[in-house]
Amino acid sequence: MVKLTDKPGSVFVIYIATTPEKLWAALTSAEFSRQYFFGRAITVEPKVGGRFQLLMADGTVDCQGSVLEYDKPRRFAVTWHVEWLPEYRDLPEGIVIFDLAPSAETVRLTVSEIHDPALPEKFKEGGRTGWPIILSGLKSLLETGRVPKIEMPNPAG
Amino acid sequence: MANSRFVYVTYIRTTPEKLWRALTEPEFTRQYWAETWQDCAWTKGASWKLMIPDGRVGDAGEVLEIDKPHRLVLSWRNEFMPELRAEGFSRATFELEPQGDMVKLTLTHEIDVDGSKLIEAVSSGWPMILASLKSLLETGESLEATRNWPKDM
């Protein structure tokens, strides 16, 4: 079972010309996430132990977990379990951590994925492919008000 | 695969041609790459230098592969920090793939040295430089912290 103190298997960094407060809102609200997170609505109960879900447009749960840390607007961490793909449902949960650090006129956002040691390598590809798309879209949204359409790669292949 | 390796992927709303120009031409690089410019004839085998604004050579190497505007591979040795220079030549690969109205830019920087200090150094620099490049191409303005060469460097 994964712990917050485990070493992340993947780390993604991006700098966005915005404020921590605006970035936090974009990361934790459905109104924003639908625009840059492949149409998914993020719902987060803003407290440790609260429920976290990513919902698809038709209400299907993409993934879910619980809040491990909620330190607005610096850091939030959730357990992460994929629900919508049959092949993923029996996998152990992981942890995703979002760190927001002010850096000059920008915010440095670091997304860290902690994988269960038993997780087969191929299931890490989804994150490696997806997070750069998500974070690039988030940056474009906050800096230009527009998000381009990039197709979600099929995580199963 | 090299012993020390950094990979960065970002998507920028631009065209491969514009992104290629922004990666290679001084009028662009000076804005997002801390006032540096590249001295290079941009042909295979040509020598390549990343020039610091005060005239020092920052990094040097040669063009290993060039397929404009899709792929550029450089050999790359740091020149102005002795500990990094001693590691020798790394390899920096830029791949530009159009995806809709975006270009997917993949930067791979690697060297056959375990625990490379060069790769550690560029790993913290690249995300800032490439984020600034994206901001420049999408908003017309680079990120402020990247517009000038650091005074103490």
Side-chain angles (χ1 to χ4, degrees), chain A residues 76-149:
Chain A
F76 95 100
V78 293
T79 59
W80 190 284
H81 187 260
V82 177
E83 306 293 339
W84 73 293
L85 291 167
E87 209 187 354
Y88 284 65
R89 242 171 250 145
D90 293 330
L91 295 177
E93 66 184 15
I95 291 174
V96 180
I97 305 167
F98 300 82
D99 282 295
L100 288 68
S103 175
E105 308 292 305
T106 71
V107 182
R108 184 182 71 235
L109 171 62
T110 305
V111 179
S112 308
E113 285 184 327
I114 299 176
H115 303 293
D116 189 286
L119 188 73
E121 197 60 33
K122 70 171 187 174
F123 293 109
K124 300 175 191 171
E125 269 313 303
R128 282 191 198 119
T129 312
W131 282 113
I133 299 175
I134 293 160
L135 298 179
S136 296
L138 171 59
K139 178 177 163 79
S140 294
L141 175 63
L142 288 172
E143 293 190 7
T144 72
R146 295 156 60 201
V147 184
K149 282 270 168 278

Side-chain angles (χ1 to χ4, degrees), chain A residues 13-17 103-106 128-129 132-133 135-137 139-140 143-144 146-151, chain B residues 8-13 99-102 104 124 127-132 134-136 138-139 141 143-145:
Chain A
V13 175
I14 193 162
Y15 290 82
I16 305 176
S103 175
E105 308 292 305
T106 71
R128 282 191 198 119
T129 312
I133 299 175
L135 298 179
S136 296
K139 178 177 163 79
S140 294
E143 293 190 7
T144 72
R146 295 156 60 201
V147 184
K149 282 270 168 278
I150 309 174
E151 283 310 309
Chain B
Y8 196 80
V9 177
T10 189
Y11 292 74
I12 304 175
R13 181 190 279 114
Q99 296 210 1
D101 64 345
M102 306 289 272
K104 176 185 180 186
S124 64
M128 181 65 125
I129 293 164
L130 297 177
S132 188
K134 177 174 161 80
S135 295
L136 178 63
E138 292 192 6
T139 73
E141 289 201 350
L143 298 178
E144 205 177 303

